[in-house]
Coordinates of all heavy atoms in Angstrom, one line a residue:
M1 N 2.7 8.4 9.3 CA 2.5 7.0 9.2 C 1.3 6.8 8.2 O 0.2 6.8 8.6 CB 2.2 6.4 10.5 CG 3.4 6.5 11.5 SD 3.0 5.5 13.0 CE 4.6 5.3 13.6
P2 N 1.7 6.5 7.0 CA 0.7 6.5 5.9 C -0.4 5.4 6.0 O -1.5 5.6 5.6 CB 1.5 6.4 4.7 CG 2.7 5.7 5.1 CD 3.0 6.3 6.5
H3 N -0.1 4.3 6.6 CA -1.0 3.2 6.7 C -1.5 2.9 8.1 O -2.1 1.8 8.3 CB -0.4 2.0 6.0 CG 0.0 2.2 4.6 ND1 -1.0 2.3 3.6 CD2 1.2 2.3 4.0 CE1 -0.4 2.5 2.5 NE2 0.9 2.6 2.7
L4 N -1.2 3.8 9.0 CA -1.5 3.5 10.4 C -3.0 3.3 10.7 O -3.4 2.3 11.4 CB -1.1 4.7 11.3 CG -1.3 4.5 12.8 CD1 -0.5 3.3 13.3 CD2 -0.8 5.7 13.6
E5 N -3.9 4.1 10.1 CA -5.3 3.9 10.3 C -5.8 2.5 9.7 O -6.6 1.9 10.4 CB -6.1 5.0 9.6 CG -5.9 6.3 10.3 CD -6.3 6.3 11.8 OE1 -7.3 5.8 12.2 OE2 -5.5 6.9 12.6
A6 N -5.2 2.1 8.6 CA -5.6 0.8 8.1 C -5.2 -0.4 9.0 O -5.9 -1.3 9.3 CB -5.0 0.6 6.7
V7 N -4.0 -0.2 9.6 CA -3.5 -1.2 10.5 C -4.3 -1.3 11.8 O -4.7 -2.3 12.2 CB -2.0 -1.0 10.9 CG1 -1.5 -1.9 12.0 CG2 -1.1 -1.2 9.6
K8 N -4.7 -0.1 12.3 CA -5.5 0.0 13.5 C -6.9 -0.7 13.2 O -7.5 -1.4 14.0 CB -5.7 1.4 13.9 CG -4.4 2.0 14.6 CD -4.4 3.4 14.8 CE -5.6 4.2 15.1 NZ -5.4 5.6 15.4
H9 N -7.5 -0.4 12.0 CA -8.8 -0.9 11.7 C -8.7 -2.4 11.6 O -9.6 -3.2 12.0 CB -9.3 -0.3 10.3 CG -10.6 -0.9 9.9 ND1 -11.8 -0.6 10.5 CD2 -10.8 -1.8 8.9 CE1 -12.7 -1.3 9.9 NE2 -12.2 -2.0 8.9
I10 N -7.7 -3.0 10.9 CA -7.5 -4.4 10.8 C -7.3 -5.1 12.2 O -8.0 -6.1 12.4 CB -6.3 -4.7 9.9 CG1 -6.7 -4.4 8.4 CG2 -5.9 -6.2 10.0 CD1 -5.5 -4.3 7.5
L11 N -6.6 -4.5 13.0 CA -6.5 -5.0 14.4 C -7.8 -5.0 15.1 O -8.2 -6.0 15.7 CB -5.5 -4.2 15.2 CG -4.0 -4.4 14.9 CD1 -3.2 -3.3 15.6 CD2 -3.5 -5.8 15.4
D12 N -8.6 -3.9 15.0 CA -9.9 -3.8 15.6 C -10.8 -4.9 15.1 O -11.5 -5.6 15.9 CB -10.4 -2.4 15.4 CG -11.8 -2.2 16.0 OD1 -11.9 -2.5 17.2 OD2 -12.7 -1.7 15.3
T13 N -10.9 -5.0 13.8 CA -11.9 -6.0 13.3 C -11.5 -7.4 13.4 O -12.3 -8.3 13.8 CB -12.2 -5.7 11.8 OG1 -11.0 -5.7 11.0 CG2 -12.9 -4.3 11.6
T14 N -10.2 -7.7 13.2 CA -9.7 -9.1 13.4 C -9.7 -9.6 14.8 O -10.1 -10.7 15.1 CB -8.2 -9.2 12.8 OG1 -8.2 -8.7 11.5 CG2 -7.8 -10.6 12.8
L15 N -9.4 -8.7 15.7 CA -9.4 -9.1 17.2 C -10.8 -8.8 17.9 O -10.9 -9.2 19.0 CB -8.3 -8.3 17.9 CG -6.9 -8.5 17.4 CD1 -5.9 -7.7 18.1 CD2 -6.5 -10.0 17.5
G16 N -11.7 -8.2 17.2 CA -13.0 -8.0 17.8 C -12.9 -7.0 18.9 O -13.5 -7.2 20.0
L17 N -12.2 -5.9 18.7 CA -11.9 -4.9 19.8 C -13.1 -3.9 20.0 O -13.1 -3.1 20.9 CB -10.6 -4.2 19.6 CG -9.4 -5.0 19.5 CD1 -8.1 -4.2 19.2 CD2 -9.2 -5.8 20.8
N18 N -14.1 -4.0 19.1 CA -15.2 -3.1 19.1 C -14.9 -1.6 19.3 O -15.5 -0.9 20.1 CB -16.1 -3.5 20.3 CG -16.6 -5.0 20.1 OD1 -17.0 -5.3 19.0 ND2 -16.6 -5.8 21.2
G19 N -13.9 -1.2 18.5 CA -13.6 0.2 18.4 C -12.7 0.7 19.6 O -12.6 1.9 19.8
R20 N -12.1 -0.2 20.3 CA -11.3 0.2 21.4 C -10.2 1.1 20.9 O -9.6 0.9 19.8 CB -10.6 -1.1 22.0 CG -9.8 -0.7 23.3 CD -9.2 -2.0 23.9 NE -10.1 -3.1 24.1 CZ -9.7 -4.3 24.3 NH1 -8.4 -4.6 24.4 NH2 -10.5 -5.3 24.4
A21 N -9.8 2.1 21.6 CA -8.9 3.1 21.1 C -7.5 2.5 21.0 O -7.0 1.9 21.9 CB -8.8 4.3 22.1
L22 N -7.0 2.6 19.8 CA -5.6 2.2 19.5 C -4.8 3.4 19.0 O -5.3 4.1 18.1 CB -5.6 1.1 18.4 CG -6.3 -0.3 18.8 CD1 -6.3 -1.2 17.6 CD2 -5.5 -0.9 19.9
E23 N -3.7 3.6 19.5 CA -2.8 4.6 19.1 C -1.5 4.0 18.6 O -1.2 2.8 18.9 CB -2.5 5.6 20.2 CG -3.8 6.3 20.7 CD -4.6 7.1 19.6 OE1 -3.9 7.6 18.7 OE2 -5.8 7.2 19.7
A24 N -0.6 4.7 18.0 CA 0.7 4.2 17.6 C 1.5 3.6 18.7 O 2.1 2.5 18.6 CB 1.5 5.3 16.9
H25 N 1.4 4.2 19.9 CA 2.2 3.7 21.0 C 1.4 2.6 21.8 O 2.0 2.1 22.8 CB 2.5 4.9 22.0 CG 1.2 5.5 22.6 ND1 0.5 6.5 21.9 CD2 0.6 5.2 23.7 CE1 -0.5 6.8 22.6 NE2 -0.5 6.1 23.7
T26 N 0.2 2.2 21.4 CA -0.5 1.2 22.1 C 0.3 -0.2 22.1 O 0.6 -0.7 21.1 CB -1.9 1.0 21.5 OG1 -2.6 2.2 21.5 CG2 -2.7 -0.1 22.3
P27 N 0.6 -0.7 23.3 CA 1.2 -2.0 23.4 C 0.3 -3.1 22.8 O -0.9 -3.1 23.1 CB 1.5 -2.2 24.8 CG 1.2 -1.0 25.5 CD 0.3 -0.2 24.6
L28 N 0.9 -4.1 22.2 CA 0.1 -5.2 21.6 C 0.3 -6.5 22.3 O -0.3 -6.8 23.3 CB 0.3 -5.3 20.1 CG -0.1 -4.1 19.3 CD1 0.3 -4.4 17.8 CD2 -1.6 -3.9 19.4
L29 N 1.3 -7.3 21.9 CA 1.6 -8.6 22.4 C 1.9 -8.6 23.9 O 2.7 -7.8 24.3 CB 2.7 -9.2 21.6 CG 2.8 -10.7 21.5 CD1 1.5 -11.3 21.0 CD2 4.0 -11.2 20.7
G30 N 1.1 -9.3 24.6 CA 1.3 -9.3 26.1 C 0.4 -8.3 26.8 O 0.3 -8.3 28.0
S31 N -0.2 -7.4 26.0 CA -1.0 -6.3 26.6 C -2.5 -6.5 26.2 O -3.4 -6.1 26.9 CB -0.5 -4.9 26.3 OG 0.7 -4.7 26.8
L32 N -2.7 -7.0 25.0 CA -4.1 -7.2 24.5 C -4.4 -8.7 24.7 O -3.8 -9.5 23.9 CB -4.2 -6.8 23.1 CG -4.3 -5.3 22.7 CD1 -4.4 -5.2 21.2 CD2 -5.4 -4.6 23.4
P33 N -5.3 -9.1 25.6 CA -5.6 -10.5 25.8 C -6.1 -11.1 24.5 O -5.9 -12.3 24.3 CB -6.6 -10.5 26.9 CG -6.9 -9.1 27.3 CD -6.0 -8.2 26.5
E34 N -6.7 -10.3 23.6 CA -7.3 -10.9 22.4 C -6.2 -11.3 21.4 O -6.4 -12.1 20.5 CB -8.2 -9.8 21.7 CG -9.4 -9.4 22.5 CD -9.1 -8.3 23.4 OE1 -8.0 -7.9 23.6 OE2 -10.1 -7.8 24.0
L35 N -5.0 -10.8 21.6 CA -3.9 -11.1 20.6 C -3.0 -12.2 21.2 O -2.0 -12.0 21.8 CB -3.0 -9.8 20.4 CG -2.0 -9.9 19.3 CD1 -2.6 -10.2 18.0 CD2 -1.1 -8.6 19.3
D36 N -3.5 -13.4 20.9 CA -2.8 -14.6 21.3 C -2.1 -15.2 20.0 O -2.2 -14.5 18.9 CB -3.7 -15.7 22.0 CG -4.8 -16.1 21.1 OD1 -4.8 -15.9 19.8 OD2 -5.8 -16.7 21.6
S37 N -1.5 -16.3 20.1 CA -0.7 -16.8 19.0 C -1.6 -17.1 17.8 O -1.2 -16.9 16.6 CB 0.1 -18.1 19.4 OG -0.8 -19.1 19.9
M38 N -2.8 -17.6 18.0 CA -3.8 -17.9 16.9 C -4.2 -16.6 16.3 O -4.4 -16.5 15.1 CB -4.9 -18.7 17.4 CG -4.6 -20.1 17.7 SD -3.7 -21.0 16.4 CE -5.1 -21.1 15.2
A39 N -4.4 -15.5 17.1 CA -4.9 -14.2 16.6 C -3.8 -13.6 15.7 O -4.1 -12.9 14.8 CB -5.3 -13.3 17.7
V40 N -2.5 -13.8 16.1 CA -1.4 -13.3 15.3 C -1.6 -13.8 13.8 O -1.4 -13.0 12.9 CB -0.1 -13.6 15.9 CG1 1.1 -13.4 14.9 CG2 0.2 -12.9 17.2
I41 N -1.9 -15.0 13.7 CA -2.0 -15.6 12.3 C -3.2 -14.9 11.6 O -3.0 -14.5 10.4 CB -2.3 -17.1 12.4 CG1 -1.1 -17.8 13.0 CG2 -2.7 -17.7 11.1 CD1 -1.3 -19.3 13.4
G42 N -4.3 -14.7 12.3 CA -5.4 -14.0 11.7 C -5.1 -12.5 11.3 O -5.5 -12.1 10.2
V43 N -4.4 -11.9 12.1 CA -4.0 -10.5 11.9 C -3.0 -10.4 10.7 O -3.2 -9.6 9.8 CB -3.3 -9.8 13.1 CG1 -2.6 -8.5 12.8 CG2 -4.3 -9.6 14.2
I44 N -2.1 -11.3 10.6 CA -1.1 -11.3 9.5 C -1.9 -11.6 8.2 O -1.7 -11.0 7.2 CB 0.0 -12.4 9.7 CG1 0.9 -11.9 10.8 CG2 0.8 -12.6 8.4 CD1 1.8 -10.7 10.5
A45 N -2.8 -12.6 8.2 CA -3.6 -12.9 7.0 C -4.4 -11.7 6.6 O -4.5 -11.4 5.4 CB -4.5 -14.1 7.3
A46 N -5.0 -11.0 7.5 CA -5.8 -9.8 7.2 C -4.9 -8.7 6.6 O -5.3 -8.0 5.6 CB -6.6 -9.3 8.4
L47 N -3.7 -8.5 7.2 CA -2.8 -7.5 6.6 C -2.3 -7.9 5.2 O -2.2 -7.0 4.4 CB -1.6 -7.4 7.6 CG -2.0 -6.7 8.9 CD1 -0.8 -6.9 9.9 CD2 -2.2 -5.2 8.8
E48 N -2.0 -9.2 5.0 CA -1.6 -9.6 3.7 C -2.7 -9.4 2.7 O -2.4 -8.9 1.6 CB -1.3 -11.1 3.7 CG 0.0 -11.5 4.5 CD 0.2 -13.0 4.6 OE1 -0.8 -13.7 4.7 OE2 1.4 -13.4 4.4
A49 N -3.9 -9.7 3.0 CA -5.0 -9.5 2.1 C -5.3 -8.0 1.8 O -5.5 -7.6 0.6 CB -6.3 -10.1 2.7
H50 N -5.2 -7.2 2.8 CA -5.5 -5.8 2.6 C -4.4 -5.1 1.8 O -4.7 -4.3 0.9 CB -5.7 -5.1 4.0 CG -5.9 -3.6 3.9 ND1 -7.2 -3.1 3.7 CD2 -5.1 -2.6 3.9 CE1 -7.1 -1.8 3.6 NE2 -5.8 -1.4 3.8
F51 N -3.2 -5.4 2.2 CA -2.1 -4.7 1.5 C -1.5 -5.4 0.3 O -0.6 -4.9 -0.4 CB -0.9 -4.4 2.5 CG -1.3 -3.4 3.6 CD1 -1.6 -3.8 4.9 CD2 -1.4 -2.0 3.2 CE1 -2.0 -2.8 5.8 CE2 -1.7 -1.1 4.2 CZ -2.0 -1.5 5.5
G52 N -2.0 -6.6 0.0 CA -1.5 -7.3 -1.1 C 0.0 -7.8 -1.0 O 0.7 -7.7 -2.0
I53 N 0.3 -8.2 0.2 CA 1.7 -8.6 0.5 C 1.7 -10.1 0.9 O 0.7 -10.6 1.2 CB 2.3 -7.7 1.6 CG1 1.5 -7.8 2.9 CG2 2.5 -6.3 1.1 CD1 2.2 -7.1 4.1
E54 N 2.9 -10.6 1.0 CA 3.1 -12.0 1.6 C 4.1 -11.9 2.7 O 5.1 -11.2 2.5 CB 3.5 -13.0 0.5 CG 2.4 -13.3 -0.5 CD 2.9 -14.4 -1.4 OE1 3.7 -15.2 -1.1 OE2 2.3 -14.4 -2.6
V55 N 3.8 -12.5 3.8 CA 4.7 -12.5 4.9 C 5.1 -14.0 5.2 O 4.2 -14.8 5.5 CB 4.1 -11.9 6.2 CG1 5.1 -12.0 7.3 CG2 3.7 -10.4 5.9
A56 N 6.3 -14.3 5.0 CA 6.8 -15.7 5.3 C 6.7 -16.0 6.8 O 7.0 -15.0 7.6 CB 8.2 -15.9 4.8
D57 N 6.4 -17.2 7.2 CA 6.4 -17.5 8.6 C 7.6 -17.2 9.4 O 7.6 -16.7 10.5 CB 6.1 -19.0 8.8 CG 4.7 -19.4 8.3 OD1 3.8 -18.5 8.2 OD2 4.5 -20.6 8.2
E58 N 8.8 -17.4 8.7 CA 10.0 -17.1 9.4 C 10.3 -15.6 9.6 O 11.2 -15.2 10.3 CB 11.2 -17.8 8.7 CG 11.4 -17.3 7.3 CD 10.7 -18.2 6.3 OE1 9.9 -19.0 6.6 OE2 10.9 -18.0 5.1
D59 N 9.5 -14.8 8.9 CA 9.7 -13.3 9.1 C 8.8 -12.7 10.2 O 8.9 -11.5 10.5 CB 9.3 -12.6 7.7 CG 10.3 -12.9 6.6 OD1 11.5 -13.3 7.0 OD2 10.0 -12.8 5.5
I60 N 8.0 -13.5 10.8 CA 7.1 -13.0 11.8 C 7.8 -13.2 13.2 O 8.2 -14.3 13.6 CB 5.7 -13.8 11.9 CG1 5.1 -13.6 10.5 CG2 4.9 -13.3 13.0 CD1 3.9 -14.5 10.3
H61 N 8.0 -12.1 13.9 CA 8.7 -12.1 15.2 C 7.8 -11.3 16.2 O 7.1 -10.3 15.8 CB 10.1 -11.5 15.1 CG 10.9 -12.2 14.1 ND1 11.6 -13.4 14.4 CD2 11.3 -11.9 12.8 CE1 12.3 -13.8 13.4 NE2 12.1 -13.0 12.4
A62 N 8.0 -11.6 17.4 CA 7.2 -10.9 18.5 C 7.5 -9.4 18.5 O 6.7 -8.6 18.8 CB 7.6 -11.5 19.9
R63 N 8.8 -9.0 18.1 CA 9.1 -7.6 18.1 C 8.3 -6.8 17.2 O 8.1 -5.6 17.4 CB 10.6 -7.4 17.8 CG 11.0 -7.8 16.4 CD 12.5 -7.5 16.1 NE 12.8 -7.9 14.8 CZ 13.3 -9.1 14.4 NH1 13.4 -10.0 15.3 NH2 13.6 -9.3 13.1
H64 N 7.7 -7.4 16.1 CA 6.8 -6.7 15.2 C 5.5 -6.4 15.9 O 4.8 -5.5 15.4 CB 6.6 -7.5 13.9 CG 7.9 -7.8 13.2 ND1 8.2 -9.0 12.7 CD2 8.9 -7.0 12.9 CE1 9.4 -9.0 12.1 NE2 9.8 -7.8 12.2
F65 N 5.2 -7.1 16.9 CA 3.9 -6.9 17.6 C 4.1 -6.2 19.0 O 3.2 -6.4 19.9 CB 3.2 -8.2 17.8 CG 2.6 -8.8 16.5 CD1 3.4 -9.5 15.6 CD2 1.3 -8.5 16.2 CE1 2.9 -10.0 14.5 CE2 0.7 -9.0 15.0 CZ 1.5 -9.7 14.2
T66 N 5.1 -5.4 19.1 CA 5.4 -4.7 20.4 C 4.3 -3.6 20.5 O 3.7 -3.5 21.6 CB 6.8 -4.1 20.4 OG1 7.7 -5.2 20.2 CG2 7.1 -3.4 21.7
T67 N 4.1 -2.8 19.5 CA 3.1 -1.7 19.6 C 2.5 -1.7 18.2 O 2.9 -2.3 17.2 CB 3.8 -0.4 19.8 OG1 4.6 0.0 18.7 CG2 4.6 -0.3 21.1
V68 N 1.4 -0.9 18.1 CA 0.8 -0.6 16.8 C 1.8 -0.1 15.8 O 1.8 -0.5 14.7 CB -0.4 0.3 17.0 CG1 -1.0 0.7 15.6 CG2 -1.5 -0.4 17.9
A69 N 2.6 0.8 16.3 CA 3.7 1.4 15.4 C 4.7 0.4 14.9 O 5.0 0.5 13.7 CB 4.4 2.6 16.1
T70 N 5.1 -0.5 15.7 CA 6.1 -1.5 15.2 C 5.4 -2.4 14.2 O 6.1 -2.8 13.2 CB 6.7 -2.3 16.4 OG1 5.7 -3.0 17.1 CG2 7.5 -1.4 17.3
L71 N 4.2 -2.7 14.4 CA 3.4 -3.6 13.4 C 3.3 -2.8 12.1 O 3.5 -3.3 11.0 CB 2.1 -4.0 13.9 CG 1.3 -4.9 13.0 CD1 2.0 -6.2 12.7 CD2 -0.1 -5.2 13.7
H72 N 2.9 -1.5 12.2 CA 2.8 -0.6 11.1 C 4.1 -0.6 10.3 O 4.2 -0.7 9.1 CB 2.4 0.8 11.5 CG 2.5 1.8 10.5 ND1 3.7 2.5 10.3 CD2 1.7 2.2 9.5 CE1 3.6 3.4 9.3 NE2 2.4 3.2 8.8
D73 N 5.2 -0.4 11.0 CA 6.5 -0.3 10.4 C 6.9 -1.6 9.6 O 7.5 -1.5 8.6 CB 7.6 0.1 11.4 CG 7.4 1.5 11.9 OD1 6.6 2.3 11.4 OD2 8.0 1.8 13.0
F74 N 6.6 -2.7 10.3 CA 6.8 -4.0 9.6 C 6.1 -4.1 8.3 O 6.6 -4.5 7.3 CB 6.4 -5.1 10.6 CG 6.5 -6.5 10.0 CD1 7.7 -7.1 9.7 CD2 5.3 -7.2 9.9 CE1 7.7 -8.4 9.2 CE2 5.3 -8.5 9.4 CZ 6.6 -9.1 9.0
I75 N 4.8 -3.7 8.3 CA 4.0 -3.8 7.1 C 4.5 -2.8 6.0 O 4.7 -3.1 4.9 CB 2.5 -3.5 7.4 CG1 2.0 -4.6 8.3 CG2 1.7 -3.3 6.1 CD1 2.1 -6.0 7.8
V76 N 4.8 -1.6 6.4 CA 5.3 -0.6 5.5 C 6.6 -1.1 4.8 O 6.8 -0.9 3.6 CB 5.5 0.8 6.2 CG1 6.3 1.8 5.3 CG2 4.1 1.4 6.5
A77 N 7.5 -1.7 5.6 CA 8.7 -2.2 5.0 C 8.5 -3.3 4.0 O 9.2 -3.4 3.0 CB 9.6 -2.8 6.2
R78 N 7.4 -4.0 4.1 CA 7.0 -5.1 3.2 C 6.4 -4.5 1.9 O 6.4 -5.1 0.8 CB 5.9 -6.0 3.7 CG 6.4 -6.8 4.9 CD 7.1 -8.0 4.4 NE 7.7 -8.7 5.5 CZ 8.9 -9.1 5.6 NH1 9.7 -9.0 4.5 NH2 9.4 -9.8 6.6
L79 N 5.9 -3.3 2.0 CA 5.4 -2.6 0.8 C 6.4 -2.0 -0.1 O 6.1 -1.7 -1.3 CB 4.4 -1.5 1.2 CG 3.2 -1.9 2.0 CD1 2.4 -0.7 2.5 CD2 2.3 -2.7 1.1
R80 N 7.6 -1.8 0.4 CA 8.7 -1.2 -0.4 C 9.3 -2.3 -1.3 O 9.5 -3.4 -0.9 CB 9.8 -0.7 0.5 CG 9.3 0.5 1.3 CD 10.4 1.2 2.1 NE 9.8 2.2 2.9 CZ 10.0 2.3 4.2 NH1 10.9 1.4 4.8 NH2 9.5 3.2 5.0
P81 N 9.6 -1.9 -2.5 CA 10.2 -2.9 -3.5 C 11.6 -3.3 -3.1 O 12.3 -2.8 -2.3 CB 10.2 -2.2 -4.8 CG 9.9 -0.7 -4.5 CD 9.4 -0.6 -3.1

C-alpha cells in the first residue's frame, strides 16, 4: 500500500487523533467518534490537497470510510489516469 502512511498521517492530523495507532484494518466511520460528517469533509479536503486530486461530492460514499485500507484504496484509485 504505497500511500498508506500518508493517509494515516492525514487522518491523524485532520481528526486530531494525537498519534493514535491506525492500521490498514482500523475501522473508521462509526468507530472513530472524531470522524463525523463534518470531519469527512475536512479529511477529503486534506487528501485532495496532499495528493493533488479532486473528489466530486457524488463520489464520496460511506463504504470508502469503512477502514483505513478502504479509504487508501479509494484515494489510490483517484491517482490512476
